[in-house]
Amino acid sequence: EAQVTQNPRYLITVTGKKLTVTCSQNMNHEYMSWYRQDPGLGLRQIYYSMNVEVTDKGDVPEGYKVSRKEKRNFPLILESPSPNQTSLYFCASSLLATRSNEKLFFGSGTQLSVL
Amino acid sequence: AQTVTQSQPEMSVQEAETVTLSCTYDTSESDYYLFWYKQPPSRQMILVIRQEAYKQQNATENRFSVNFQKAAKSFSLKISDSQLGDAAMYFCAYRGLSYGGATNKLIFGTGTLLAVQP
């Protein structure tokens, strides 16, 4: 089954304790991205990747890191989480879109709480 | 920069009735896509319908249809014969195609929470 798998689904941590949210897709997609969802703000892009070793900032990259060492994986790293990073996080992937509309596949979300 | 505005934080509809969710956007691009996503309590993001800006005809998907007014930059979603399973958060989203459009980046509105009353 084609899917984007995020883990964990729920995570509670404390300020400053490094954490990684994993994202993996089985569709051989070049494009992967991370969004955060906050009440009253909708979803905002954090980082994206066009292919292995190619990553770039989205609209809200501060406090986050990503890596793309393999095509299927795109982990989101919070090296020193703070309470303002409490949010619902989504990973998404697709084929490279160019000028066509490539469907964006979303993971099931990770609810992060930073105390 | 492109923006998407959903001015109705919450709406309610009776089962079997019709409801329209509003969305406006701002862009200087002429070529783009617009989407409506549904997010039920499971938090899954489900694509409901999409519209290509160059197409004049409004998109429809079963009970879901859009009213796309390009000049007014308006993109509303109409849900006909509402069902209890339609209760969810609905997000309007924009994707521009400038600069090659290679980044499949979506710009989302703030969402409208739809309640369906039995």
Side-chain angles (χ1 to χ4, degrees):
Chain A
E1 180 190 354
Q3 60 185 0
V4 177
T5 303
Q6 283 181 239
N7 280 298
R9 287 214 71 189
Y10 299 92
L11 180 58
I12 301 174
T13 190
V14 296
T15 299
K17 186 176 181 181
K18 182 179 178 179
L19 66 91
T20 299
V21 184
T22 63
C23 174
S24 180
Q25 49 89 9
N26 62 0
M27 297 166 279
N28 202 35
H29 285 165
E30 296 89 358
Y31 180 85
M32 298 185 75
S33 64
W34 279 101
Y35 289 82
R36 62 177 287 174
Q37 180 182 341
D38 301 290
L41 295 176
L43 286 82
R44 295 173 293 167
Q45 190 184 59
I46 303 170
Y47 267 96
Y48 67 93
S49 170
M50 304 281 280
N51 215 324
V52 175
E53 303 293 0
V54 180
T55 64
D56 207 349
K57 296 176 181 178
D59 295 322
V60 287
E62 293 77 19
Y64 304 94
K65 281 178 56 177
V66 293
S67 70
R68 189 89 183 273
K69 294 184 171 60
E70 305 165 283
K71 197 172 186 179
R72 63 183 293 125
N73 296 324
F74 190 46
L76 180 69
I77 303 156
L78 286 72
E79 296 216 318
S80 184
S82 62
N84 64 12
Q85 293 178 297
T86 292
S87 186
L88 176 60
Y89 291 87
F90 285 98
C91 180
S93 76
S94 74
L95 295 170
L96 273 183
T98 60
R99 296 193 62 80
S100 63
N101 181 52
E102 297 297 341
K103 182 181 176 182
L104 199 57
F105 289 78
F106 283 88
S108 51
T110 295
Q111 180 65 57
L112 171 65
S113 296
V114 183
L115 305 177
Chain B
Q2 295 83 13
T3 58
V4 177
T5 301
Q6 293 179 251
S7 58
Q8 305 153 316
E10 296 182 13
M11 290 197 72
S12 182
V13 63
Q14 291 291 127
E15 201 174 359
E17 297 294 307
T18 295
V19 64
T20 299
L21 308 184
S22 301
C23 173
T24 59
Y25 59 95
D26 190 24
T27 184
S28 57
E29 296 178 285
S30 58
D31 201 6
Y32 48 87
Y33 289 100
L34 295 164
F35 306 87
W36 279 98
Y37 279 86
K38 173 185 177 181
Q39 187 181 54
S42 66
R43 305 181 323 201
Q44 192 178 1
M45 292 293 287
I46 302 167
L47 178 62
V48 174
I49 200 165
R50 79 171 197 214
Q51 174 80 42
E52 290 102 332
Y54 64 87
K55 287 189 177 178
Q56 301 229 349
Q57 188 173 5
N58 289 324
T60 62
E61 287 287 343
N62 301 313
R63 297 182 297 107
F64 298 88
S65 62
V66 298
N67 183 4
F68 173 50
Q69 302 288 329
K70 190 172 184 179
K73 295 179 182 170
S74 170
F75 182 61
S76 60
L77 175 69
K78 185 170 84 171
I79 306 174
S80 304
D81 185 26
S82 296
Q83 301 175 358
L84 294 176
D86 295 333
M89 179 73 85
Y90 286 83
F91 291 101
C92 179
Y94 168 98
R95 178 187 162 221
L97 293 176
S98 297
Y99 313 111
T103 68
N104 201 350
K105 173 183 175 181
L106 296 182
I107 297 170
F108 287 87
T110 52
T112 296
L113 183 62
L114 178 66
V116 181
Q117 308 300 330

